[in-house]
């Protein structure tokens, strides 16, 4: 009698377990919810760092993609690139025609890299997660990957596990740690000769090693455009990631898993400098969880050619963050460290300013969602809205000189200005709430760049 009962219980447990499993197809993979932590975090830091950080050069007056210093190797060898001549002229003039890209690894020394200091800078920026390039399209890995023998940061260059050291420091600060990973490699002989063997023997084992070794909360893939997701075996990897990996409950992935997948399959959708496949989405709310990635300047990798005018101001960056969050997205803001392991001071300054604003106004950013009834943003008003529970946040990117009217709120609503200890005058007329901004002076002004009126019990 015990054996049938045991068999029945075993079947029941296995059946429940099987129902929770994700299959290697997009219908199943796409059914997995994006972990809540990501939608609550709102602000992350992208880090592009690698051998490309040694030449650290790109033009600054070209189209966006042509400015990317991390594409240095490709631009040197691609005569179809609009900036091919510019890259070659700079390279030959600076290093000589016989200097190969691989020779740059000797300059990727990272002797100034202090992971604890980086983690402090990142934490104080107000970011809640970090995504480091574990491997860009050049194929060089920042960890001791067996699949990239003699082309990784432990075997050559700094002789150090950069990914591991930073991951440990970032997690110690209570931030989520993730990794960018390029599916393809420009000049890997195996990739060029047999992409299927490359995927089976190189890419998949490498990705599983990265996940198993460092347990990241984000796997941010790129370089997917050469092949459909079937060639990359993306759904098979994601089924493993969601069913068996040590981060199956918490990991967030993006939508770059094949040339057909952006804004269609995977996890979060990703825009880049507001460039998306569906251009009608720019400036509008995207219903699916999404994230905008961009640099402080025009490049992701550090670009020595950039001037002050090429960098976004702190005010602009705060406004970008507000815009993305109010439309239901996240901002993944990139920094490009130097080859010796420093975060450029101008980037530190921008991050510190964003952190200062968030320390006052983070309540209107973290854990919020877009407000379905928010009026359209206009050039005159520049007012954005977020919500959290029954509370509404009215975010003004310029301090209002006249009263504001918020429509469709509860008569029990109570208004305050975040960071300001004084009272804010308000008047209700039906479901309309009139907010009269207080008069501020340098002593009472709570912040710079943008101001937030909290409307408690508004909804």
């Amino acid at each position: 009698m015990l054996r049938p009962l045991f068999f029945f219980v075993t079947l029941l447990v296995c059946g429940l377990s099987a129902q929770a499993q994700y299959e290697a197809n997009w219908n199943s993979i796409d059914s997995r919810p994006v972990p809540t932590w990501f939608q609550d975090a709102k602000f992350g830091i992208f880090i592009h760092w690698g051998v490309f950080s040694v030449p650290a050069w790109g033009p600054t007056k070209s189209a966006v993609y042509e400015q990317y210093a991390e594409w240095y190797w490709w631009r040197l060898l691609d005569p179809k690139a609009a900036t091919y001549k510019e890259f070659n002229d700079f390279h030959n003039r600076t290093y000589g025609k016989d200097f190969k890209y691989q020779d740059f690894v000797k300059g990727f020394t990272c002797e100034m890299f202090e992971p604890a200091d980086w983690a402090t800078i990142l934490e104080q920026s107000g970011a809640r997660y970090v995504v480091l390039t574990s491997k860009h399209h050049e194929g060089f890995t920042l960890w001791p990957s067996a699949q990239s023998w003699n082309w990784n940061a432990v075997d050559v260059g700094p002789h150090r596990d950069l990914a591991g050291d930073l991951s440990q420091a970032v997690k110690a600060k209570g931030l989520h740690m993730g990794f960018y990973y390029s599916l393809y490699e420009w000049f890997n002989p195996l990739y060029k000769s047999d992409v299927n063997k490359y995927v089976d023997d190189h890419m998949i084992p490498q990705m599983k090693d990265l996940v198993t070794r460092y347990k990241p909360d984000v796997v941010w893939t790129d370089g997917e455009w050469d092949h459909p997701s079937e060639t990359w075996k993306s759904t098979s990897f994601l089924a493993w990631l969601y069913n068996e990996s040590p981060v199956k409950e918490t990991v967030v992935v993006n939508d770059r898993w094949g040339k057909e997948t952006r804004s269609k399959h995977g996890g979060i959708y990703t825009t880049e400098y507001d460039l998306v496949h569906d251009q009608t989405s720019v400036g509008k709310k995207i219903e699916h969880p999404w994230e905008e990635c961009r640099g402080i300047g025009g490049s992701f990798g550090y670009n020595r050619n950039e001037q002050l005018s090429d960098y976004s101001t702190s005010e602009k960056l705060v406004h970008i963050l507000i815009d993305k969050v109010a439309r239901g997205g996240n901002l993944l803001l990139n920094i490009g460290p130097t080859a010796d392991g420093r975060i450029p001071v101008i980037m530190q300054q921008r991050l510190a300013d964003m952190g200062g604003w968030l320390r006052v106004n983070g309540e209107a950013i973290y854990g919020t969602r877009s407000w379905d009834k928010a009026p359209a943003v206009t050039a005159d008003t520049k007012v954005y809205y977020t919500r959290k529970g029954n509370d509404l946040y009215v975010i003004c990117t310029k301090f209002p000189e006249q009263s504001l009217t918020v429509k469709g709120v509860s008569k029990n609503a109570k208004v305050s200005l975040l960071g300001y200890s004084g009272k804010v005058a308000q008047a209700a007329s039906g479901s309309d709430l009139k907010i009269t901004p207080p008069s501020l002076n340098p002593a009472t002004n709570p912040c710079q760049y943008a101001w937030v009126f909290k409307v408690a019990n508004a909804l």
Side-chain angles (χ1 to χ4, degrees):
M1 292 297 293
L2 291 177
R3 185 180 180 90
L5 178 60
F6 174 79
F7 182 65
F8 172 77
V9 172
T10 301
L11 281 176
L12 180 61
V13 172
C14 290
L16 290 173
S17 177
Q19 291 176 15
Q21 296 293 294
Y22 292 94
E23 299 175 359
N25 61 72
W26 283 123
N27 283 338
S28 180
I29 295 299
D30 291 343
S31 70
R32 179 182 182 264
V34 173
T36 304
W37 76 258
F38 177 83
Q39 291 180 272
D40 290 342
K42 299 303 179 187
F43 182 36
I45 301 297
F46 218 179
I47 305 175
H48 275 63
W49 198 29
V51 175
F52 49 81
S53 304
V54 180
W57 189 91
T60 60
K61 305 304 178 186
S62 303
V64 173
Y65 288 124
E66 297 286 344
Q67 297 182 35
Y68 292 175
E70 66 275 13
W71 279 67
Y72 188 95
W73 194 5
W74 179 264
R75 302 297 185 210
L76 283 178
L77 302 178
D78 179 18
K80 297 179 182 179
T83 50
Y84 172 74
K85 186 177 186 302
E86 291 178 78
F87 274 88
N88 276 270
D89 286 349
F90 171 81
H91 183 84
N92 295 340
R93 181 177 69 249
T94 308
Y95 306 106
K97 292 183 178 180
D98 296 330
F99 192 96
K100 304 300 182 185
Y101 182 84
Q102 294 90 326
D103 297 330
F104 282 125
V105 76
K106 297 176 183 178
F108 190 53
T109 53
C110 309
E111 73 272 15
M112 300 289 286
F113 174 49
E114 295 291 345
D117 291 347
W118 279 31
T120 297
I121 292 169
L122 301 176
E123 177 195 32
Q124 291 179 351
S125 75
R128 296 291 176 88
Y129 61 105
V130 177
V131 180
L132 171 70
T133 49
S134 67
K135 183 196 75 169
H136 201 258
H137 313 321
E138 63 184 8
F140 185 86
T141 68
L142 299 193
W143 87 98
S145 169
Q147 288 73 35
S148 294
W149 176 83
N150 218 37
W151 192 233
N152 68 70
V154 174
D155 289 346
V156 291
H159 298 287
R160 184 172 179 179
D161 182 359
L162 303 174
D165 288 351
L166 184 61
S167 180
Q168 184 177 6
V170 165
K171 289 181 178 181
K173 289 292 187 180
L175 306 181
H176 293 275
M177 182 68 197
F179 292 108
Y180 165 110
Y181 178 89
S182 174
L183 300 181
Y184 88 148
E185 297 179 16
W186 290 317
F187 306 113
N188 186 313
L190 183 59
Y191 177 72
K192 303 295 285 186
S193 64
D194 189 341
V195 66
N196 292 315
K197 188 171 178 59
Y198 166 86
V199 169
D200 290 339
D201 297 347
H202 183 88
M203 189 195 84
I204 296 293
Q206 195 169 57
M207 293 177 74
K208 288 185 175 181
D209 175 50
L210 185 67
V211 170
T212 304
R213 189 186 294 251
Y214 302 115
K215 301 175 178 58
D217 283 332
V218 180
V219 174
W220 210 101
T221 49
D222 194 25
E224 82 290 355
W225 46 79
D226 266 11
H227 301 284
S229 58
E230 183 178 3
T231 300
W232 294 122
K233 299 186 178 178
S234 295
T235 56
S236 294
F237 172 77
L238 289 168
W240 171 84
L241 187 67
Y242 291 168
N243 295 329
E244 303 176 41
S245 81
V247 291
K248 60 185 178 182
E249 302 293 338
T250 58
V251 71
V252 171
V253 304
N254 65 350
D255 57 349
R256 303 184 181 194
W257 295 97
K259 64 182 182 180
E260 84 285 10
T261 64
R262 286 202 198 189
S263 298
K264 293 180 180 179
H265 298 299
I268 62 169
Y269 294 168
T270 54
T271 64
E272 184 171 326
Y273 284 94
D274 287 324
L275 299 172
V276 292
H277 289 293
D278 178 10
Q279 290 295 326
T280 61
S281 296
V282 176
K284 298 181 180 180
K285 181 183 175 183
I286 301 172
E287 297 298 332
H288 190 85
W290 65 282
E291 173 187 75
E292 158 79 356
C293 69
R294 61 168 57 218
I296 296 176
S299 175
F300 285 99
Y302 178 55
N303 186 356
R304 294 180 291 151
N305 200 29
E306 289 181 330
Q307 304 297 316
L308 179 61
S309 60
D310 296 308
Y311 284 84
S312 296
T313 63
S314 298
E315 179 180 56
K316 181 177 180 180
L317 293 172
V318 168
H319 292 181
I320 290 172
L321 173 64
I322 292 167
D323 173 70
K324 306 311 173 190
V325 171
R327 293 196 287 115
N330 286 24
L331 174 64
L332 184 62
L333 183 66
N334 182 80
I335 59 172
T338 60
D340 60 6
R342 292 173 294 117
I343 298 175
V345 172
I346 189 171
M347 298 183 188
Q348 293 188 40
Q349 185 262 333
R350 297 295 194 261
L351 296 185
D353 285 349
M354 294 187 77
W357 185 85
L358 282 164
R359 278 190 288 277
V360 175
N361 302 289
E363 181 182 342
I365 300 296
Y366 306 123
T368 64
R369 299 294 184 266
S370 60
W371 185 35
D372 292 338
K373 297 181 180 179
V377 177
T378 68
D380 293 332
T381 60
K382 289 287 187 179
V383 177
Y384 297 80
Y385 297 83
T386 60
R387 60 174 294 271
K388 185 189 299 178
N390 293 326
D391 298 335
L392 188 66
Y393 299 91
V394 184
I395 309 174
C396 304
T397 54
K398 63 179 183 180
F399 195 79
E401 297 178 355
Q402 299 177 343
S403 61
L404 299 170
T405 299
V406 183
K407 297 180 178 295
V409 300
S410 167
K411 63 181 180 180
N412 297 319
K414 178 67 175 176
V415 179
S416 60
L417 176 64
L418 295 186
Y420 176 71
S421 58
K423 293 184 178 180
V424 178
Q426 65 180 78
S429 176
S431 62
D432 292 352
L433 177 67
K434 181 179 178 181
I435 301 172
T436 302
S439 296
L440 300 179
N441 59 51
T444 59
N445 187 8
C447 60
Q448 301 181 72
Y449 315 132
W451 295 261
V452 180
F453 293 96
K454 178 181 180 179
V455 186
N457 300 313
L459 306 175

